Amino acid sequence: MVLEITDADALSGTALESIAAEYGEPGGELAEERMHAESAVRDDGAEALASLVDPFDLVGEVPGVELAQASWTSEIIDYDPEEPDAWDLDDEDEDDEDDDDVPHNGEEDDDGEQRSSR
């Protein structure tokens, strides 16, 4: 997923509000964790976004899906939608020249058998 942060101040402000609601009073029991979280979202828009997006909320209502575990990170990148080769998610697959054996969304393979989806 590629997102553009159009208002970094609004994003970090919302993240700080969320942190305040989660951790309670600044001098409370979790003060050190709260200070660390606040510092991270002030310094980095990607961290602010990561603090606000809950993977369970993203797929919780999707039929046929049960999220067993989730973790993710975000990072700020240079992205040009006009340059599709400049941002390649499949860097690990460069050595795989023949992807014909990979099942794709219910397509049939060469033997006429149904392929399963990823």
Side-chain angles (χ1 to χ4, degrees), residues 38-80:
E38 288 175 341
S39 176
V41 301
R42 279 190 187 103
D43 294 342
D44 186 354
E47 287 294 328
L49 179 63
S51 76
L52 292 169
V53 177
D54 182 355
F56 288 98
D57 288 343
L58 292 175
V59 298
E61 300 297 319
V62 177
V65 174
E66 182 177 332
L67 186 59
Q69 180 180 350
S71 66
W72 73 287
T73 61
S74 62
E75 63 183 290
I76 296 175
I77 61 164
D78 291 325
Y79 174 72
D80 182 359

Side-chain angles (χ1 to χ4, degrees), residues 14-111:
T14 302
L16 290 170
E17 289 172 8
S18 176
I19 290 168
E22 179 179 348
Y23 289 99
E25 293 298 317
E29 179 177 310
L30 302 173
E32 187 174 332
E33 288 179 38
R34 178 182 174 153
M35 288 177 21
H36 177 72
E38 288 175 341
S39 176
V41 301
R42 279 190 187 103
D43 294 342
D44 186 354
E47 287 294 328
L49 179 63
S51 76
L52 292 169
V53 177
D54 182 355
F56 288 98
D57 288 343
L58 292 175
V59 298
E61 300 297 319
V62 177
V65 174
E66 182 177 332
L67 186 59
Q69 180 180 350
S71 66
W72 73 287
T73 61
S74 62
E75 63 183 290
I76 296 175
I77 61 164
D78 291 325
Y79 174 72
D80 182 359
E82 303 296 320
E83 188 84 30
D85 294 334
W87 196 64
D88 186 11
L89 291 176
D90 295 326
D91 288 340
E92 299 170 344
D93 296 335
E94 288 178 9
D95 296 333
D96 296 339
E97 293 178 17
D98 184 34
D99 285 339
D100 291 337
D101 296 336
V102 177
H104 294 281
N105 297 327
E107 295 176 1
E108 291 184 1
D109 63 15
D110 294 336
D111 298 330

